[in-house]
Amino acid sequence: MTSRILAAFLVLTGGLIIGALLPLGFAMADQHRRDYQTSTLELARALATTAEEGIEDRDNATTLPARLAMVRREAEGGDQAVVTVVDRKSRVLVGRDSGLYTPDRVAIGLRGQTRVSDLGDRLLAIVPIGAQDERVKGAVLLARPLTPLRERVDRLWMRLGLVAFAAVVTAVVLTVYLARWVGRPLRRLGLAAEALGAGELAARADPPRRPPEVRGLAERFNVMAARLENLIYDSRAVLADVSHQLRTPLAALRLRIELFAEEARSGGREADAAEFEAALDELGRLARMVDGLLAVARAENTTTPPQVIAVTDLLRERVDAWRPVAAERGVELLLEPGEPLTAMLGPGRLEQTIDNLVDNALTATPKGGHVRIGAGRTGHRVRVTVADDGAGMSPGAMAEAFRRFRTGRAGGTGLGLPIVHRLITADGGDVTLSETPGGGLTVTLDLPATR
């Protein structure tokens, strides 16, 4: 946020500098040039007036240079000027060695014209003498160095540059202050939200006094966190009560039916015994369904923070645990070798997920088939695959596989894949289903990798 605000302020400040300071600087520099030209021209005219008086008094050889020197000293910056005075016959009266005399320049003044031109390092003013009475008596050539003008313009741009620099520094300081003023409570609010998401139900934000919008947001977050804490605690209490209240009568009912089935077999009532056995099968399915529903509810209401899980080691342990079961069913359980991988998951969730997937795969795979488990890294994710070569699933069944009670096999509860989906997505992972090449089902788990 700080970088975006800073960029916006810098763009605004740069726009103001380009749109205001630069035109102002060019205008003031041009004004300085015009003022310098005007002052040079005024000095040249003053010298022309003095030279006209000297010519009329015929003291050009004696006192005219002194008079001109006095005028130059009285003018601002005039002591740096170089002057050449010529009469109407183009004879140089003053400043013979100044280097200003050329026939073309003198001709301009003798024609009664006034001109100011830039010589590169000097500014040349040509003014006629006595042009007011329509009789030109000569010309004054005045050259002033442009160094004072350039120094004045450089000082102008330096001052404007300091103003622009001060504006940029002020914008940066103001941006950082505003960003911290707004961002600091937002960061604290973000940490509180992260702690709440990681399972710390007592996490709360500290509402700042200002800005009021952030304070209101923090207060609403605290209200939400308190309600969420109450809901989760109530949900946990309900789960505990349901677990106790359902399992106890189911166990008692199973015991009674088993006793009735034993009495029927001992009494020779095989038909009744078969009915009791069927009831026991349905009761077992009901018990599995209750356990599955409780597992889904726990996965949805879990708040344990994720931790680093050694995925490769865990897969090896679960394959070793399930390999005897797979051998008993005539299915080969394979673990594809790979590099050591770690992921961020809640404790126990990946074990339960792999157990559910392997159980489903072994159930769906015929005798002589294979179940393959592999893992690898894909970008910032760890990808775990469980592939079997069983009957597979249709596209329609895959689309509804994560919905509860959707099952494609007899005796199934339709809760295995929903449990897997809840466990993996609770920590930011993803679960997808696809067809195994050659037939079967492949379950892909994309898990958040450790940083």
Side-chain angles (χ1 to χ4, degrees):
M1 181 177 67
T2 302
S3 59
R4 290 193 292 270
I5 297 178
L6 180 59
F9 267 80
L10 289 179
V11 169
L12 178 61
T13 305
L16 290 175
I17 292 173
I18 295 174
L21 285 184
L22 285 181
L24 177 63
F26 286 121
M28 294 182 67
D30 186 62
Q31 184 63 44
H32 284 318
R33 295 187 186 95
R34 289 198 298 269
D35 292 344
Y36 197 75
Q37 290 176 357
T38 301
S39 64
T40 301
L41 188 58
E42 289 177 352
L43 177 58
R45 286 172 175 167
L47 293 173
T49 301
T50 303
E52 182 180 6
E53 296 174 355
I55 292 174
E56 290 177 350
D57 296 341
R58 302 184 182 278
D59 58 355
N60 52 340
T62 56
T63 62
L64 183 57
R67 289 186 181 185
L68 296 177
M70 183 177 63
V71 174
R72 284 192 294 121
R73 284 194 300 269
E74 292 177 353
E76 181 181 358
D79 53 347
Q80 300 178 1
V82 178
V83 180
T84 296
V85 178
V86 298
D87 59 14
R88 59 185 177 185
K89 295 181 179 180
S90 299
R91 292 177 299 187
V92 178
L93 303 179
V94 177
R96 188 179 303 276
D97 300 327
S98 65
L100 298 180
Y101 177 87
T102 64
D104 294 337
R105 294 172 183 171
V106 172
I108 294 173
L110 295 180
R111 289 197 300 267
Q113 298 176 358
T114 300
R115 180 176 298 181
V116 178
S117 57
D118 191 346
L119 300 181
D121 59 341
R122 294 183 298 176
L123 189 67
L124 175 64
I126 304 174
V127 177
I129 299 174
Q132 293 84 356
D133 56 1
E134 299 181 358
R135 182 184 178 186
V136 177
K137 301 176 182 179
V140 172
L141 307 178
L142 172 66
R144 295 180 67 188
L146 290 174
T147 302
L149 172 62
R150 291 170 180 170
E151 291 177 351
R152 189 179 305 173
V153 173
D154 290 342
R155 287 194 299 270
L156 167 66
W157 284 115
M158 185 177 296
R159 288 194 294 269
L160 292 178
L162 290 176
V163 171
F165 178 75
V168 172
V169 171
T170 303
V172 171
V173 172
L174 183 61
T175 298
V176 173
Y177 172 76
L178 289 177
R180 290 183 177 179
W181 183 60
V182 177
R184 189 179 296 113
L186 288 178
R187 284 192 294 271
R188 290 200 296 264
L189 181 60
L191 292 175
E194 184 178 358
L196 182 65
E200 298 180 18
L201 299 179
R204 297 293 186 272
D206 183 18
R209 289 186 300 174
R210 295 179 181 277
E213 293 82 3
V214 180
R215 178 179 179 84
L217 178 62
E219 291 173 349
R220 288 190 288 272
F221 172 82
N222 289 339
V223 172
M224 178 200 69
R227 292 178 178 175
L228 183 61
E229 183 180 13
N230 292 332
L231 288 174
I232 291 178
Y233 280 140
D234 292 344
S235 178
R236 288 176 176 175
V238 170
L239 285 177
D241 293 342
V242 169
S243 299
H244 176 73
Q245 297 297 331
L246 286 180
R247 285 173 175 170
T248 300
L250 285 176
L253 182 60
R254 171 178 285 278
L255 180 60
R256 287 178 177 273
I257 294 177
E258 288 177 349
L259 290 176
F260 289 149
E262 185 65 27
E263 289 178 1
R265 281 193 295 270
S266 62
R269 303 193 306 274
E270 295 298 332
D272 293 339
E275 290 294 331
F276 286 131
E277 291 293 338
L280 286 174
D281 291 340
E282 291 299 321
L283 187 60
R285 182 172 179 271
L286 178 61
R288 292 193 302 273
M289 188 175 296
V290 170
D291 290 339
L293 285 173
L294 293 175
V296 172
R298 290 192 188 97
E300 291 175 342
N301 290 280
T302 182
T303 56
T304 53
Q307 62 186 29
V308 179
I309 302 297
V311 176
T312 307
D313 296 339
L314 186 146
L315 293 179
R316 187 179 299 109
E317 293 174 1
R318 301 322 301 159
V319 168
D320 292 340
W322 280 93
R323 190 163 280 144
V325 179
E328 182 180 353
R329 299 184 184 181
V331 178
E332 186 176 5
L333 183 58
L334 303 173
L335 175 63
E336 299 176 354
E339 60 177 325
L341 301 170
T342 56
M344 296 296 296
L345 295 170
R349 294 177 187 171
L350 187 57
E351 293 96 324
Q352 187 175 356
T353 297
I354 296 301
D355 288 345
N356 274 319
L357 294 179
V358 172
D359 186 18
N360 288 346
L362 293 178
T363 302
T365 304
K367 191 173 183 179
H370 302 81
V371 175
R372 294 178 175 84
I373 301 178
R377 180 179 291 274
T378 304
H380 298 289
R381 313 283 276 184
V382 172
R383 176 163 292 179
V384 177
T385 57
V386 179
D388 62 64
D389 49 11
M393 297 176 66
S394 65
M398 290 183 188
E400 297 187 348
F402 299 132
R403 299 180 63 182
R404 300 173 188 175
F405 309 116
R406 298 294 196 276
T407 179
R409 57 186 175 89
T413 61
L415 293 172
L417 289 177
I419 291 174
V420 169
H421 187 264
R422 300 302 191 279
L423 290 172
I424 297 302
T425 56
D427 290 320
D430 193 19
V431 185
T432 56
L433 305 179
S434 59
E435 184 179 356
T436 303
L441 179 67
T442 297
V443 182
T444 302
L445 310 177
D446 285 325
L447 312 176
T450 54
R451 297 178 181 176

